[in-house]
Amino acid sequence: MQHFDIVLALSSIAISAEGARASQQIERLRDALAKTDPEQAAKLGRLLSRSDRRQTMAPMAFEEMRATADAARRQLQGEQLTQSSPLPTDRETGTPLARVIFPGSTLAEPPVLIAPLAAAVADLLEEWNQAEALERLGAKPNMRCLIYGPPGVGKTKLARYLAHQLGLPCVEARLDGLTSSFLGTTARNIGALFEFADRYRCVLFLDEFDAIAKARDDAQEVGEIKRVVNTLLQSLDARNGRGLTLAATNHEHLLDSAVWRRFETRIEIPKPDAPARDNLLRQFLTPLDLGVIEMRLLVWATEGMSGADLESLVAAGKRFLVLHGSEGVADSRRTGLAKGSGRGRVLLEALRRQAFLNARLFQEDRRAALIGPEEAFDTVLEVAGFTQTEAGALLGLSQAAVSRRRRRTNG
Ligand SMILES: Nc1ncnc2c1ncn2[C@@H]1O[C@H](COP(=O)(O)OP(=O)(O)OP(=O)(O)O)[C@@H](O)[C@H]1O
Ligand SMILES: [Mg+2]
């Protein structure tokens, strides 16, 4: 396309002024260009992903964050928690029952969430800004929030991020560490933990929350377990209105229904959808920057993976690149794959390697495609919706060569 630099500049201006509406049209342009000019399409793709990152829960501007933190402090009672406040400990072993993360001590990047969920979470924070307006209606911001979903989707990350954005210290306890084989001790530990959290202005974050429920399954003493659950229920009730309580679990079905009901907000974090995977992959890939087609291949191959899975896949990919890729062109003798050029091929090889080394990571159909014979990549790419030109770019072949191979395999 002629005058592309002007088009790119205009696109950038349009996105900042018009956001989603402009992005939609620029996406159309990117897709149209992908066939004729992959490089220009890649530039538009990068522009879109930058703006995307801004739209999916951008970190709040400093001023905005301070206003939220001030509002949260005004709403909550209690003393100020400092580095020297003594932590609650297990009476028998002396181990601390919680750790405290102070705002500003760590960099809390927002988790990447599917777009509607990101908007809902942003609202949860905004409620604190509007606390006074809420009060006039006899309402309060959300005080008890349960986060659940499959492993590795960012539950812990979201809880820490919320505490950080509210500018409050986060008293973080893993309940699996707090439950003792002696249920009496467990109940006492829960009591001590809540007593500590209630005394200060803070967020209480109960991670691995299902540990309580599991204790109930393992134990024999029915009466004792009831006591543990009752202590938890009473502690949650007593804390209501005093401070924010967040809990996270992989096993929400194990939770006692009375405990479940105590949470007014229950956020389910699902596995990331395609746009969220694209976003996460780009974050983890930094400083590497892949083109539009390569990103599409990655997003396709990672269907069904969690954020943590994507992170480990990218880490493995970077190791592969250092061992086998030189300036983006793989050494065909060492990988055993036929010669070809381009980053697409290195990427395919890296994915194929992981499909062998980390078999469970991939969805079955994706894995079967990746570990098949190399000529089969063509078919795979066709099924995944890549045009002949795109497949050619990935495999380092001309469009004519891809066309010939496809005719041959398709009979
Ligand atoms: N949605 C996400 N956004 C950004 N990073 C993520 C996301 N999901 C997972 N990750 C990455 O994976 C790591 C693990 O995430 P996290 O511990 O928050 O998951 P979890 O849902 O609490 O997992 P578990 O069920 O094992 O406790 C994070 O440190 C982060 O690097
Ligand atoms: Mg977790």
Side-chain angles (χ1 to χ4, degrees):
M1 178 197 266
Q2 270 191 323
H3 308 302
F4 180 72
D5 51 336
I6 302 177
V7 171
L8 192 64
L10 279 173
S11 303
S12 170
I13 295 167
I15 286 184
S16 32
E18 277 289 328
R21 271 178 52 199
S23 298
Q24 228 172 9
Q25 297 307 319
I26 296 164
E27 266 167 30
R28 284 182 58 199
L29 179 61
R30 176 200 62 192
D31 294 344
L33 277 175
K35 299 188 188 91
T36 51
D37 200 329
E39 203 157 308
Q40 292 183 347
K43 282 187 183 153
L44 285 177
R46 282 198 286 278
L47 178 71
L48 283 165
S49 84
R50 272 202 301 276
S51 84
D52 223 34
R53 242 173 282 170
R54 254 177 266 140
Q55 280 163 21
T56 29
M57 270 199 16
M60 277 199 246
F62 182 71
E63 284 303 315
E64 200 183 333
M65 201 174 135
R66 209 172 52 187
T68 311
D70 286 346
R73 262 196 300 278
R74 272 198 305 277
Q75 288 299 312
L76 299 178
Q77 309 147 16
E79 298 166 37
Q80 186 175 353
L81 184 56
T82 66
Q83 305 269 6
S84 52
S85 314
L87 292 175
T89 52
D90 181 291
R91 208 190 293 168
E92 261 105 57
T93 61
T95 42
L97 298 173
R99 64 178 194 136
V100 181
I101 305 175
F102 288 93
S105 64
T106 49
L107 231 165
E109 281 265 315
V112 174
L113 303 173
I114 59 168
L117 182 54
V121 167
D123 270 1
L124 279 184
L125 288 168
E126 180 58 22
E127 285 175 11
W128 290 91
N129 272 331
Q130 306 291 340
E132 276 146 28
L134 284 172
E135 212 167 347
R136 285 196 289 277
L137 298 180
K140 271 178 168 294
N142 267 287
M143 287 285 200
R144 294 186 291 193
C145 173
L146 177 70
I147 303 169
Y148 67 97
V153 290
K155 300 181 294 294
T156 301
K157 199 173 166 76
L158 174 61
R160 289 180 182 159
Y161 174 73
L162 286 173
H164 183 266
Q165 293 306 97
L166 289 172
L168 293 168
C170 183
V171 174
E172 187 176 311
R174 289 178 51 128
L175 288 199
D176 52 348
L178 206 127
T179 47
S180 149
S181 46
F182 305 108
L183 288 168
T185 310
T186 305
R188 195 172 63 215
N189 283 348
I190 292 171
L193 176 68
F194 273 83
E195 194 183 312
F196 174 79
D198 289 352
R199 182 168 160 195
Y200 298 101
R201 260 192 321 250
C202 66
V203 172
L204 173 62
F205 171 34
L206 307 166
D207 208 356
E208 313 291 336
F209 193 56
D210 47 277
I212 297 273
K214 284 218 200 86
R216 189 179 42 186
D217 288 345
D218 299 343
Q220 292 107 26
E221 280 271 7
V222 182
E224 272 294 280
I225 294 121
K226 272 208 178 127
R227 214 165 72 104
V228 171
V229 174
N230 277 341
T231 308
L232 181 66
L233 291 174
Q234 280 163 12
S235 305
L236 282 168
D237 285 342
R239 182 167 171 74
N240 201 21
R242 295 187 66 89
L244 196 63
T245 311
L246 304 175
T249 175
N250 291 338
H251 304 286
E252 78 286 356
H253 52 277
L254 290 181
L255 293 182
D256 195 289
S257 64
V259 174
W260 173 264
R261 264 187 281 116
R262 291 298 188 284
F263 290 89
E264 49 199 341
T265 307
R266 302 137 190 171
I267 303 178
E268 179 177 15
I269 306 193
K271 297 253 184 85
D273 59 3
R277 287 205 301 286
D278 184 274
N279 223 308
L280 281 162
L281 285 163
R282 282 178 202 278
Q283 250 180 42
F284 299 139
L285 278 163
T286 312
L288 298 175
D289 202 357
L290 301 189
V292 180
I293 311 174
E294 284 108 10
M295 283 309 297
R296 258 180 58 204
L297 174 66
L298 260 183
V299 169
W300 172 81
T302 53
E303 170 86 37
M305 290 190 193
S306 69
D309 291 337
L310 295 174
E311 192 172 26
S312 76
L313 178 72
V314 170
K318 286 181 174 172
R319 288 195 292 270
F320 184 91
L321 186 68
V322 168
L323 294 187
H324 299 292
S326 67
E327 288 165 351
V329 183
D331 179 343
S332 55
R333 277 160 310 167
R334 290 176 64 189
T335 55
L337 284 178
K339 215 170 169 155
S341 64
R343 294 187 302 193
R345 178 166 287 271
V346 181
L347 184 63
L348 272 169
E349 288 165 1
L351 283 170
R352 182 188 175 83
R353 179 63 58 91
Q354 272 310 295
F356 281 111
L357 291 181
N358 208 339
R360 285 287 180 88
L361 196 57
F362 293 88
Q363 218 168 267
E364 200 42 58
D365 59 330
R366 292 343 192 219
R367 178 169 186 268
L370 288 168
I371 63 175
E374 201 238 340
E375 308 79 61
F377 274 157
D378 247 341
T379 335
V380 172
L381 293 174
E382 193 174 3
V383 174
F386 288 86
T387 65
Q388 293 182 355
T389 318
E390 290 164 344
L394 280 168
L395 295 166
L397 298 168
S398 70
Q399 186 255 330
V402 175
S403 168
R404 266 198 307 280
R405 281 162 60 134
R406 280 193 183 173
R407 266 204 307 275
R408 224 179 302 138
T409 13
N410 293 340

